[in-house]
């Protein structure tokens, strides 16, 4: 069993920054991928970014490229999402997820999910 716990959400003004954390516990594998997703009120959940535990290859949604950075600390079993130049449209509940392949994570059908953390960007 794998458990994911997000933290770091909050309220920030447009143009500000936040760093989200996703602490991972339980059985994981270096070949797994970690992903961040978000869901705004009345909208579908959407992919934000993904990283592979080993090797660190990353992938981003076009809407966050150049503003968000995903990274991982293998020693701490934690994945981060550094969010800069935040916009009101970034307001959402942010979730982390993990599974064995990028395709599965990217599709939003990962087996393991966290409970989410709220990010609110005021204009």
């Amino acid at each position: 069993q794998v458990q994911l716990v997000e933290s770091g959400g909050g309220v920030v003004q447009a143009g500000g920054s936040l760093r989200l954390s996703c602490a991972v516990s339980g059985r994981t594998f270096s070949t797994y991928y970690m992903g961040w997703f978000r869901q705004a009120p009345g909208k579908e959940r959407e992919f934000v970014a993904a990283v592979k535990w080993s090797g660190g290859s990353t992938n981003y949604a076009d809407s966050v490229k150049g503003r968000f950075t995903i990274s991982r600390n293998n020693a701490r079993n934690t994945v981060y999402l550094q969010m800069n130049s935040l916009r009101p449209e970034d307001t959402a509940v942010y979730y982390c997820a993990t599974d064995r392949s990028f395709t599965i994570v990217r599709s939003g059908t990962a087996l393991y999910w966290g409970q989410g953390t709220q990010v609110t960007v005021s204009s």
Side-chain angles (χ1 to χ4, degrees), residues 40-99:
K43 294 187 177 180
E44 292 187 356
R45 185 172 59 195
E46 65 173 350
F47 170 77
V48 175
V51 65
K52 190 176 183 180
W53 271 118
S54 66
S57 59
T58 58
N59 188 274
Y60 295 92
D62 288 342
S63 58
V64 305
K65 279 181 181 177
R67 300 189 299 124
F68 291 11
T69 303
I70 188 171
S71 62
R72 84 265 186 258
N73 183 321
N74 292 38
R76 295 189 174 187
N77 280 348
T78 301
V79 175
Y80 304 98
L81 185 68
Q82 177 67 44
M83 305 185 296
N84 299 327
S85 302
L86 283 163
R87 305 166 180 168
E89 54 263 39
D90 295 318
T91 295
V93 177
Y94 283 71
Y95 301 89
C96 60
T98 187
D99 212 313

